[in-house]
């Protein structure tokens, strides 16, 4: 029998991020590849979810999200950003931000339309656009990971349906400034395009920076689709709890796609997140900057000392590091070597670029790990120079 698979899958490779986790496990390395915490999630959420299972909240939730979760999230959006979110009309709960991005693109982009993606980019955005038969238009950030607005303007056209904006940014650690966001917003309005934001690191910003949701900028409320998740905020990446805030008519289309893709996110886990959103005080969210900031302040100098060139992350929990002074190997071989020989697993940089050559000198490290583990990783990385 001749096996047939759809053309849309032919360009896909296995997720490099998840492949590195497997390689790391095989070699017993310290896994700084896939961005997930190795420490405990808040008891409030765990107890909330466990109680929901015992209370038999075990059947389908409302397809666009349990009312309690939507109500609690809407209240927090108001506290955090002064955003008025109607839980009945604006909010959809999905299986992680991953499904959220897919459902949004399927709901708003027609085949052949263009979606602008900054580069380097989180590896899902390319396949996401391909799956809805859209054309990704990549706009490289500068060497400092800033936006080149001439290039950005040149990327917009009457075919542009949307731009994906991820701040705080994975993998660069950039936090786009208000000025940068405003310039993007002006282009969206001029070309009648949507901003689809990925704000999953919204509470992880350093040095006193505050997150600015695109939806709060003038003229952007109705043309922004705000995606976030519980994963990073509450260290529950395995729960797959994503959220979408969008104009009611957009939400209507998004909810239909979401319904047919998944029916809904796990009902008892939605109760768990709702419990967290209801009960955790503002200091919990404010404290995330200190928790992750301490990790950054331990790990970033260690990378510099080890001979990597990198920019200090302003937010999120990744560092994209240039290893040119340490090795001539291409990024994937260097990442494999580091995993096998040094015992620290990063992600090869090429997985964040559509042209792999652009990431050949880079690897990404995730530092959302206990300080003890990061110290151990630092001790290993400082030996790299002597080993190559
Ligand atoms: N967002 C995380 C990362 O970039 C997890 C990726 C994934 O496995 N979906 O590492």
């Amino acid at each position: 029998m001749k096996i047939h698979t759809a053309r849309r899958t032919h360009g896909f490779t296995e997720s490099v991020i998840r492949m590195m986790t497997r390689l790391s496990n095989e070699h017993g390395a310290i896994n700084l590849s896939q961005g997930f915490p190795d420490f405990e999630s808040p008891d409030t959420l765990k107890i909330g979810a466990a109680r929901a299972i015992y209370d038999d909240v075990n059947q389908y939730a409302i397809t666009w999200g349990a009312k309690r979760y939507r109500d609690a999230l809407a209240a927090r959006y108001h506290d955090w950003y002064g955003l008025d979110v109607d839980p009945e009309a604006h909010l959809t709960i999905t299986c992680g931000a991953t499904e959220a991005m897919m459902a949004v693109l399927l709901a708003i982009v027609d085949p052949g339309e263009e979606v602008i993606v900054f580069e380097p980019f989180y590896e899902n955005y390319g396949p996401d656009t391909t799956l809805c038969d859209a054309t990704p238009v990549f706009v490289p950030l500068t060497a400092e990971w800033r936006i080149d607005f001439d290039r950005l303007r040149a990327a917009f056209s009457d075919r542009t349906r949307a731009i994906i904006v991820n701040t705080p940014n994975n993998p660069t650690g950039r936090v786009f400034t208000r000025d940068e966001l405003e310039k993007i917003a002006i282009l969206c309005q001029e070309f009648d395009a949507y901003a689809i934001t990925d704000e999953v690191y919204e509470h992880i910003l350093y040095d006193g920076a505050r997150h600015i949701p695109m939806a709060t900028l003038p003229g952007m409320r109705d043309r922004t689709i705000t995606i976030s998740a519980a994963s990073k905020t509450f260290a529950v990446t395995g729960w797959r709890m994503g959220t979408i805030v969008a104009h009611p008519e957009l939400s209507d289309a998004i909810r239909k796609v979401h319904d047919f893709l998944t029916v809904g996110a796990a009902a008892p886990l939605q109760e768990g997140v709702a419990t967290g959103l209801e009960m955790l005080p503002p200091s919990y969210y404010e404290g995330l900057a200190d928790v992750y900031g301490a990790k950054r302040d331990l790990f970033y100098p260690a990378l510099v000392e080890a001979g990597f060139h990198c920019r200090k992350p302003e937010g999120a929990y990744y560092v994209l590091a240039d290893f040119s002074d340490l090795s001539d190997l291409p990024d994937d071989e260097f990442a494999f070597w580091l995993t096998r020989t040094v015992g620290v697993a990063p992600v090869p940089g090429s997985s964040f670029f559509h042209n792999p050559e652009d990431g050949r000198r880079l690897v990404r490290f995730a530092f959302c790990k206990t300080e003890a583990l990061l110290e151990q990783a630092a001790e290993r990385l400082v030996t790299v120079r002597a080993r190559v």
Side-chain angles (χ1 to χ4, degrees):
M1 181 190 157
K2 190 172 175 327
I3 304 294
H4 171 86
T5 56
R7 270 196 301 277
R8 68 171 69 85
T9 66
H10 293 178
F12 295 175
T13 46
E14 181 194 12
S15 156
V16 179
I17 296 179
R18 293 181 275 288
M19 184 265 284
M20 285 308 298
T21 282
R22 276 206 306 284
L23 190 74
S24 179
N25 292 344
E26 240 168 69
H27 292 275
I30 296 175
N31 185 6
L32 304 187
S33 60
Q34 197 174 14
F36 61 87
D38 67 338
F39 42 89
E40 291 180 357
S41 323
D43 280 345
T44 313
L45 276 84
K46 292 190 285 197
I47 292 166
R51 184 164 297 151
I53 290 175
Y54 276 107
D55 286 350
D56 252 319
V57 186
N58 292 317
Q59 311 309 326
Y60 304 122
I62 296 171
T63 190
W64 53 84
K67 180 167 166 44
R68 191 174 154 212
Y69 190 166
R70 284 180 290 116
D71 286 350
L73 185 62
R76 296 292 80 75
Y77 264 114
H78 188 268
D79 303 344
W80 296 332
Y81 312 117
L83 261 180
D84 285 321
V85 172
D86 177 353
E88 298 309 323
H90 293 139
L91 258 176
T92 307
I93 310 297
T94 57
C95 300
T98 301
E99 190 228 333
M101 185 59 75
M102 194 68 252
V104 167
L105 289 169
L106 286 168
I108 68 167
V109 184
D110 274 319
E113 292 183 337
E114 294 181 353
V115 176
I116 296 175
V117 177
F118 290 114
E119 202 173 30
F121 54 86
Y122 171 52
E123 62 169 9
N124 280 36
Y125 302 156
D128 282 350
T129 47
T130 306
L131 281 175
C132 58
D133 294 320
T135 307
V137 175
F138 296 102
V139 175
L141 297 174
T142 68
E144 267 76 50
W145 310 134
R146 302 208 160 257
I147 299 169
D148 176 339
F149 280 97
D150 292 331
R151 287 189 92 145
L152 183 59
R153 167 168 284 279
F156 272 88
S157 74
D158 57 6
R159 293 180 301 280
T160 309
R161 174 60 65 207
I163 177 169
I164 297 177
V165 183
N166 168 219
T167 183
N169 185 260
N170 174 10
T172 65
R174 261 314 304 288
V175 172
F176 293 143
T177 62
R178 181 177 291 277
D179 183 57
E180 285 172 307
L181 293 174
E182 279 174 355
K183 286 184 176 145
I184 298 171
I186 288 167
L187 288 167
C188 287
Q189 291 170 59
E190 189 180 324
F191 288 89
D192 195 20
Y194 292 113
I196 307 171
T197 66
D198 176 346
E199 306 185 21
V200 298
Y201 304 97
E202 63 187 313
H203 299 290
I204 305 176
L205 287 79
Y206 309 120
D207 307 319
R210 308 289 299 183
H211 178 61
I212 304 169
M214 182 67 97
T216 61
L217 298 185
M220 290 306 286
R221 184 60 213 264
D222 287 350
R223 61 172 73 249
T224 301
I225 296 131
T226 305
I227 294 176
S228 194
S231 303
K232 273 55 185 194
T233 300
F234 299 116
V236 287
T237 60
W239 283 20
R240 317 307 304 126
M241 291 285 130
T243 61
I244 305 168
V245 181
H247 181 280
E249 281 173 52
L250 295 175
S251 292
D252 199 40
I254 292 164
R255 285 173 174 187
K256 285 179 199 149
V257 175
H258 160 69
D259 189 6
F260 290 117
L261 278 177
T262 67
V263 178
L269 301 184
Q270 294 195 52
E271 299 299 316
V273 178
T275 311
L277 287 165
E278 286 165 1
M279 297 187 51
L280 290 170
S283 58
Y284 173 80
Y285 305 97
E286 285 151 18
L288 290 176
D290 295 333
V291 170
Y292 287 100
K295 299 178 193 304
R296 178 199 66 168
D297 292 344
L298 186 165
F299 190 64
Y300 167 75
L303 278 183
V304 174
E305 198 195 328
F308 291 89
H309 291 283
C310 39
R311 285 184 54 81
K312 197 173 183 176
E314 299 160 347
Y317 47 53
Y318 307 98
V319 193
L320 202 49
D322 186 315
F323 59 86
S324 299
D325 282 358
L326 294 170
S327 167
D328 292 330
L329 290 173
D331 64 317
D332 45 359
E333 285 177 35
F334 180 71
F336 301 155
W337 175 82
L338 208 62
T339 306
R340 287 195 200 104
T341 314
V342 181
V344 179
V347 177
S350 55
S351 53
F352 305 101
F353 293 86
H354 81 284
N355 175 5
E357 292 315 308
D358 293 336
R360 284 290 178 233
R361 316 304 313 143
L362 299 168
V363 286
R364 188 197 75 174
F365 295 94
F367 56 86
C368 46
K369 306 292 173 184
T370 53
E371 280 159 51
L373 195 74
L374 291 173
E375 269 163 20
Q376 225 184 319
E379 280 164 22
R380 293 182 186 186
L381 288 170
V382 92
T383 68
V384 168
R385 216 186 315 241
R387 286 170 187 251
V388 285

